[in-house]
Amino acid sequence: MTARGEMCGSSFRRRLARLFAAGVVFVTALGVGAAPAQTAAKPLSPNDVSILFPSPQSSADLANLIAASDLAGRIGAPQRLFSDADFARFIANAEHPEHPGVPDSGVRHIQLPDAVKKIDAWFVAGIRIDPGAPGLSPDVIAQFGRQPQIRLIIQPVTNGPDGFKVHDTAGHLIFNFSLDPDPPLDGCAPFSRFKPDDEAFKAIIRDIATLRDQLAAGHFGNVKISTAGDLNVHPGLVGASAKAFRDALKALLEKHLSPQRLNTMAVMGISPPEPWIFVSMLRVPQAGLIPVPGPTLDGVHAAQMFSIIGGKHVIPQPITNNQSPITCRHAALQNPPLAVADRKGVSTSEFIDGNVPNSRILEIVNIIADPKKSHFFNTDCVSCHTETAQPLVRKVPNFAVPGVDRAVLPKENWNVRNFGWFPSFLQGGPAAATITRRAAAETADVVAFINSQLLNK
């Protein structure tokens, strides 16, 4: 930003005040600046839009993380991004996801320790920049529209009488950038078609590109850092640049996010030491933040479970629809839900709870990892969170995970983290930073779309 020579005195101060109010100016010390208008930004890389923090090993590492309780709204806003009211509903929905009167599905309840029920325990493990949920293929956009999002992956970390602990629990806070939606397609109410607020989202992309360039120029910690290469823990969040780059990311989030944009959440928690239980949540008029029935379940139950013990490992067994033509019909809040007879799809429960050849396992996970075929509304949570760990541990021939550094691949089949930190209760040791093939495939689509459709536009 440059000021004209004739601007002076009170006129200049009024102009500067307006710029701050509009969120155009960042405090220089926070490390985020505006890119020169005349310079075209270079294409973004996967690590620029899928930002994974290193897993903390001790309480000293928390200084380089972003606490959920420290994230404020826009400049000058008094309210936290994750308000006390929203956090309370997040915890309540996690522990009691099913509506009164719903028959027992056999899914156990998430049990959160008291320390985890305090917002001070939650930290940002990852940041996902996404120009279009639930997917970026033309078929998905035609059915659902396109909703730009910033997703924060948050996890609890405590340091109490039992020592320092990264908990095997994670949440998604999903901030959307949408305009007034288009009407829903026939049979798809109450889900209208998303209409993207691309002007607001392009401002985020410009700031992401600026941060990338500042890292490369050595602005953080006096060390020059490249973000190119396979997905990994973000290189700017380790070493001498970690604290300064963390501060810059926090400033970027607070510049662009507001509590009003937080309309979707999800949680994965355990009934110690297992199973793993998945619940999604949506803010709806009047009712507020509610658990959402699983789009691939029966239209009634909201929680799905993945268990080591017992005769069945995936409960309820999903009926997916990822082999049918893409449709906005599903089983979440639609009346009537998409009938089971009208669904055709695959899930990892087929081989987790059955005996199938490796060739079939490969066929299944290839569909689930493909964001052009599978998305939240036609594929179940357990499948999306097991499509990499399960075939890796089973050593399925010809299974590969392109675009992910080997250091962050899941090392055991009970790691259900897609993008975050996994603490193994079986093997112990420090929590492992984890990225899956599904996360990498989504990121590749995001990078291609941003670079061709939004960057420098």
Side-chain angles (χ1 to χ4, degrees):
M1 182 191 73
T2 58
R4 294 185 209 165
E6 68 268 22
M7 290 180 65
C8 59
S10 60
S11 171
F12 173 76
R13 287 192 293 272
R14 287 195 299 270
R15 172 65 172 163
L16 190 60
R18 286 196 297 270
L19 289 173
F20 270 105
V24 175
V25 176
F26 270 158
V27 178
T28 302
L30 294 180
V32 181
Q38 70 275 16
T39 304
K42 298 176 183 176
L44 296 179
S45 299
N47 285 304
D48 298 320
V49 297
S50 291
I51 301 167
L52 182 62
F53 284 76
S55 175
Q57 309 299 307
S58 70
S59 58
D61 294 334
L62 300 182
N64 291 338
L65 301 180
I66 300 173
S69 59
D70 286 343
L71 277 170
R74 294 188 175 209
I75 295 173
Q79 189 179 19
R80 280 201 318 258
L81 286 179
F82 198 15
S83 69
D84 287 336
D86 283 348
F87 180 72
R89 290 304 305 157
F90 173 79
I91 296 296
N93 290 339
E95 295 188 315
H96 302 284
E98 303 295 0
H99 296 282
V102 171
D104 183 11
S105 68
V107 174
R108 291 166 63 183
H109 285 248
I110 294 173
Q111 296 178 15
L112 298 173
D114 287 342
V116 170
K117 296 180 185 180
K118 300 175 182 177
I119 194 171
D120 292 346
W122 292 78
F123 293 83
V124 175
I127 303 169
R128 303 282 301 273
I129 311 295
D130 185 352
L136 289 165
S137 72
D139 288 342
V140 173
I141 292 173
Q143 291 290 314
F144 293 92
R146 178 168 63 85
Q147 184 181 70
Q149 299 177 342
I150 291 182
R151 297 193 294 273
L152 304 184
I153 298 89
I154 59 172
Q155 293 189 231
V157 184
T158 57
N159 190 24
D162 296 331
F164 184 82
K165 183 175 183 179
V166 176
H167 293 259
D168 194 1
T169 300
H172 281 198
L173 306 182
I174 303 172
F175 298 82
N176 64 64
F177 293 79
S178 299
L179 302 172
D180 290 340
D182 291 323
L185 299 182
D186 288 345
C188 297
F191 292 92
S192 301
R193 295 177 69 246
F194 301 122
K195 185 181 294 184
D197 186 351
D198 279 339
E199 290 309 305
F201 205 71
K202 283 189 285 189
I204 298 168
I205 300 306
R206 289 193 292 269
D207 285 344
I208 289 290
T210 297
L211 284 184
R212 183 270 317 274
D213 294 342
Q214 290 176 335
L215 274 170
H219 287 198
F220 302 103
N222 295 316
V223 54
K224 295 182 179 181
I225 294 173
S226 170
T227 59
D230 289 342
L231 276 175
N232 201 342
V233 169
H234 194 284
L237 290 169
V238 296
S241 62
K243 181 61 168 64
F245 189 60
R246 170 265 183 208
D247 292 345
L249 287 173
K250 180 174 181 288
L252 183 146
L253 295 175
E254 292 178 335
K255 174 184 176 182
H256 293 287
L257 302 183
S258 68
Q260 293 73 31
R261 294 191 183 278
L262 179 57
N263 290 305
T264 316
M265 303 184 197
V267 65
M268 189 290 305
I270 61 173
S271 179
E274 67 93 35
W276 295 266
I277 301 145
F278 299 82
V279 179
S280 297
M281 312 173 202
L282 176 68
R283 195 186 308 278
V284 299
Q286 284 77 52
L289 194 66
I290 65 167
V292 177
T296 59
L297 302 181
D298 56 6
V300 175
H301 290 96
Q304 190 184 25
M305 181 175 79
F306 175 49
S307 178
I308 295 176
I309 61 175
K312 279 186 67 66
H313 298 295
V314 182
I315 303 173
Q317 182 172 345
I319 306 297
T320 59
N321 198 37
N322 45 32
Q323 288 183 297
S324 297
I326 298 295
T327 173
C328 58
R329 295 280 292 123
H330 49 80
L333 304 179
Q334 293 182 348
N335 188 19
L338 179 64
V340 168
D342 294 333
R343 306 182 209 173
K344 179 183 179 183
V346 299
S347 70
T348 58
S349 66
E350 183 177 334
F351 62 82
I352 292 173
D353 278 320
N355 185 17
V356 304
N358 284 332
S359 59
R360 177 59 177 167
I361 294 176
L362 198 60
E363 179 184 357
I364 290 169
V365 296
N366 284 346
I367 291 171
I368 293 168
D370 186 349
K372 296 177 179 62
K373 297 177 181 178
S374 300
H375 53 77
F376 172 77
F377 293 104
N378 69 8
T379 303
D380 64 297
C381 293
V382 169
S383 288
C384 282
H385 285 264
T386 55
E387 56 78 27
T388 297
Q390 290 286 321
L392 277 178
V393 174
R394 293 165 185 256
K395 295 182 169 56
V396 173
N398 301 316
F399 179 76
V401 188
V404 180
D405 192 283
R406 291 178 60 85
V408 292
L409 290 175
K411 304 299 191 297
E412 64 177 89
N413 54 352
W414 309 116
N415 184 346
V416 298
R417 205 72 71 242
N418 264 353
F419 195 78
W421 311 321
F422 174 69
S424 173
F425 78 93
L426 288 176
Q427 299 182 12
T434 300
I435 302 175
T436 63
R437 184 168 67 146
R438 171 78 196 192
E442 291 174 348
T443 301
D445 278 3
V446 164
V447 168
F449 189 92
I450 287 175
N451 288 338
S452 64
Q453 304 295 322
L454 300 178
L455 191 66
N456 300 316
K457 301 296 184 182

